[in-house]
């Protein structure tokens, strides 16, 4: 690939546009940071966002860069005009910079990492245009920029398509797990008991911000984010937040025993119905609830499986924000065979799902490898380490994808 690469500061070929939107833009779409997919630049614009009053105007050809927590790599290049969150920088390329190349430059992991290292603010780290604009990088001529951008458009689209297919496979495997478990419970012939007779429902406690971030105490402090999807894997133990017994007493926070079943009790997270078991003594955030099973009557693992059968939409009390109805939860009935039969069902379920879990784990690993390959490809292309024409002619992407697939099946 011909053409020299020149060292240049970003602010010399692009500018930060600060252009607050006004009422005339009310019919144009709004992009919040949550609408931008990390690393890929995919944008999910929803109708309810169209009249948002925050942020700056942008136009087609601009690049949006999330300055709040830049390690999330919220970078996008909208192909339409609109307005965006004030937490996104609007970067507009000048005539000697291709918009698509600018997007890949700013989505390059090396660029993102450098920006992240420059942030200010401990709890809400933000990047500044002053730092970003003064970053130096190598820039080829405009035709070479367009060649590289076109190459990355094609190759990253292929990788993303493969990733999406693998995501769908993981989702289908999860549905098969749920169907398997539902079938097993539907075949139980035993008396049904209300949960009020099988254990105690308790709430979490407030967790002051100044106490968070200490991983060195004995008692874990779990939040909603620690809940596992479908919750049927190993008990949760890892957390960056811990407290001492003395601190727990001061907070009047219950220390729940190993084997407690935990779940979200408010908001959208409640409706997801994610149940998990804790594998170490722990306190809970006040957005969570805990069910402590009576182990003389119900096996903790069986309890986890049984509660995961609940449709949490039926557990919500009236109100603007979904919140758990204690009465509805306590009135839920579940079949209760003998402890021996409960443990046999748990063992049988986990044995039958082992194959599904193995496939899902291998697929998730493959997805991570594909993401790593995508990131490495972008870095190599925008820094001139590869020649797109030679790369494509030799089928290098195909060989790399074949290698990742082979590793998945090994």
């Amino acid at each position: 690939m011909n053409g020299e690469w020149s060292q240049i500061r970003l602010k010399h070929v692009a500018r930060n546009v600060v252009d607050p939107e006004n009422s005339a833009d009310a019919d144009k779409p709004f992009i919040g940071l949550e609408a931008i997919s990390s690393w890929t630049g995919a944008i999910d614009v929803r109708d309810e966002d169209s009249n948002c009053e925050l942020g700056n105007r942008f136009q087609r050809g601009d690049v949006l860069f999330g300055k709040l927590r830049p390690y999330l790599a919220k970078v996008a290049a909208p192909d339409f005009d609109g307005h965006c969150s004030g937490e996104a920088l609007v970067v507009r390329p000048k005539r000697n910079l291709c918009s698509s190349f600018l997007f890949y430059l700013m989505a390059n992991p090396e660029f993102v990492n450098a920006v992240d290292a420059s942030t200010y603010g401990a709890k809400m780290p933000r990047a500044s245009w002053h730092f970003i604009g003064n970053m130096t990088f190598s820039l080829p001529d405009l035709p070479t920029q367009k060649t590289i951008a076109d190459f990355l458009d094609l190759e990253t689209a292929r990788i993303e398509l493969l990733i999406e297919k693998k995501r769908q496979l993981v989702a289908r495997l999860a549905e098969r797990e749920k169907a398997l478990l539902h079938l097993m419970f539907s075949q139980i012939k035993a008396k049904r008991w209300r949960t009020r007779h099988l254990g105690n429902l308790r709430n979490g406690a407030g967790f002051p911000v100044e106490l968070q971030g200490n991983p060195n105490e004995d008692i874990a402090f779990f939040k909603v984010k620690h809940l596992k999807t479908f919750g049927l894997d190993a008990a949760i133990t890892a957390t960056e937040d811990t407290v001492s017994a003395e601190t727990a007493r001061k907070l009047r926070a219950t220390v729940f025993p190993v084997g407690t079943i935990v779940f979200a009790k408010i908001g959208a997270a409640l409706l997801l119905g994610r149940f998990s078991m804790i594998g170490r003594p722990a306190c809970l955030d006040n957005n969570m609830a805990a069910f402590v099973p009576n182990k003389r009557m119900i096996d903790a693992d069986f309890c986890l499986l049984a509660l995961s059968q609940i449709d949490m939409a039926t557990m919500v009390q009236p109100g603007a924000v979904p919140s758990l109805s204690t009465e509805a939860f306590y009135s839920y009935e579940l079949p209760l065979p003998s402890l021996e039969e409960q443990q046999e069902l748990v063992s049988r379920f986990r044995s039958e799902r082992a194959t599904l879990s193995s496939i899902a784990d291998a697929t998730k690993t493959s997805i991570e490898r594909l993401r790593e390959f995508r990131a490495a490809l972008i870095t190599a292309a925008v820094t001139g380490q590869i020649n797109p024409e030679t790369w494509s002619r030799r089928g290098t992407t195909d060989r790399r994808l074949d290698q990742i697939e082979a590793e998945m099946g090994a």
Side-chain angles (χ1 to χ4, degrees):
M1 185 168 52
N2 297 324
E4 294 185 359
W5 294 57
S6 304
Q7 291 292 309
I8 195 166
R9 295 184 188 274
L10 182 60
K11 66 182 181 182
H12 294 152
V13 288
R15 64 187 181 94
N16 175 215
V17 178
V18 180
D19 186 14
E21 93 290 341
N22 53 37
S23 58
D25 290 319
D27 60 339
K28 291 184 178 179
F30 169 82
I31 299 178
L33 289 188
E34 69 282 354
I36 302 175
S37 296
S38 294
W39 299 109
T40 69
I43 301 172
D44 182 14
V45 179
R46 300 186 182 278
D47 293 339
E48 61 265 30
D49 293 331
S50 60
N51 293 318
C52 183
E53 298 178 354
L54 301 175
N56 293 321
R57 289 183 289 192
F58 63 83
Q59 65 187 31
R60 178 176 181 150
D62 291 342
V63 173
L64 310 182
F65 186 93
K67 62 181 180 180
L68 175 64
R69 298 189 178 95
Y71 58 82
L72 295 175
K74 299 282 189 173
V75 190
D79 60 356
F80 52 86
D81 297 348
H83 49 291
C84 64
S85 166
E87 295 293 359
L89 294 172
V90 179
V91 183
R92 183 165 298 167
K94 298 179 181 178
R95 286 185 298 176
N96 57 340
L97 179 59
C98 169
S99 174
S100 297
F101 184 86
L102 174 61
F103 164 74
Y104 286 114
L105 175 72
M106 301 188 79
N108 170 15
E110 291 185 356
F111 184 97
V112 172
N113 292 338
V115 173
D116 187 52
S118 76
T119 57
Y120 59 93
K123 295 297 181 181
M124 302 283 280
R126 287 180 172 83
S128 70
W129 171 251
H130 176 74
F131 177 85
I132 293 174
N134 280 291
M135 290 179 67
T136 301
F137 62 97
S138 296
L139 184 71
D141 58 41
L142 196 56
T144 302
Q145 294 176 38
K146 292 178 179 178
T147 297
I148 292 173
D150 289 344
F151 163 76
L152 289 174
D153 283 345
L154 178 63
E155 300 300 324
T156 59
R158 294 173 59 194
I159 297 169
E160 283 301 318
L161 179 61
L162 187 53
I163 289 174
E164 181 56 31
K165 289 180 178 179
K166 291 179 180 293
R167 287 198 194 105
Q168 293 174 6
L169 173 58
V170 172
R172 289 196 299 271
L173 291 169
E175 290 301 319
R176 288 179 64 181
E177 276 189 20
K178 292 180 181 180
L180 172 62
L181 186 57
H182 179 75
L183 176 62
M184 287 185 171
F185 269 87
S186 68
Q187 294 174 340
I188 296 176
K189 305 299 181 184
K191 178 182 177 181
R192 301 184 73 86
W193 290 68
R194 292 186 178 183
T195 56
R196 70 172 71 249
H197 302 302
L198 302 176
N200 294 313
L201 182 67
R202 303 288 297 275
N203 292 321
F207 190 19
V209 172
E210 62 270 17
L211 297 180
Q212 299 179 30
N214 179 3
N216 301 317
E217 299 293 347
D218 294 331
I219 301 171
F221 212 117
F222 291 121
K223 303 178 183 180
V224 171
K225 69 179 182 180
H226 294 107
L227 294 172
K228 296 187 176 182
T229 302
F230 200 34
L232 305 180
D233 299 308
I236 56 175
T237 57
T239 175
E240 65 280 12
D241 295 315
T242 61
V243 294
S244 65
E246 180 182 357
T247 299
R249 283 194 298 271
K250 289 180 179 178
L251 294 175
R252 296 183 179 180
T254 301
V255 180
F256 295 99
V258 173
T260 298
I261 312 304
V262 297
F263 57 99
K265 70 172 187 178
I266 193 169
L270 164 64
L271 301 177
L272 293 176
R274 293 184 297 175
F275 290 85
S276 293
M277 181 189 298
I278 60 174
R280 59 186 287 192
C283 298
L284 302 176
D285 181 78
N286 55 6
N287 291 317
M288 296 177 72
F291 185 72
V292 184
N294 181 344
K295 295 185 179 180
R296 292 176 299 176
M297 299 184 67
I298 185 168
D299 177 81
D301 290 305
F302 180 87
C303 184
L304 173 62
L305 299 182
L307 293 181
S308 72
Q309 299 299 289
I310 299 177
D311 177 2
M312 295 305 285
T314 66
M315 300 287 113
V316 176
Q317 60 184 355
V321 178
S323 60
L324 180 70
S325 167
T326 301
E327 181 58 33
F329 183 86
Y330 266 147
S331 297
Y332 181 77
E333 297 181 346
L334 54 88
L336 195 69
S338 68
L339 282 170
E340 182 179 354
E341 290 173 304
Q342 294 175 37
Q343 292 163 357
E344 190 279 331
L345 182 142
V346 171
S347 178
R348 183 159 49 92
F349 170 71
R350 288 184 170 164
S351 176
E352 293 192 25
R353 81 185 280 255
T355 300
L356 298 177
S357 297
S358 177
I359 297 172
D361 290 343
T363 304
K364 291 174 184 176
T365 299
S366 178
I367 289 173
E368 288 306 309
R369 295 297 302 278
L370 287 168
R371 287 173 174 160
E372 292 170 1
F373 173 47
R374 180 186 184 279
L377 185 62
I378 291 174
T379 297
V382 300
T383 56
Q385 298 176 47
I386 62 174
N387 185 324
E389 297 173 357
T390 303
W391 180 281
S392 300
R393 188 167 57 250
R394 293 178 178 176
T396 312
T397 295
D398 291 326
R399 291 200 304 275
R400 188 69 187 94
L401 296 181
D402 288 344
Q403 181 184 350
I404 293 173
E405 291 298 286
E407 292 171 352
M408 173 182 169

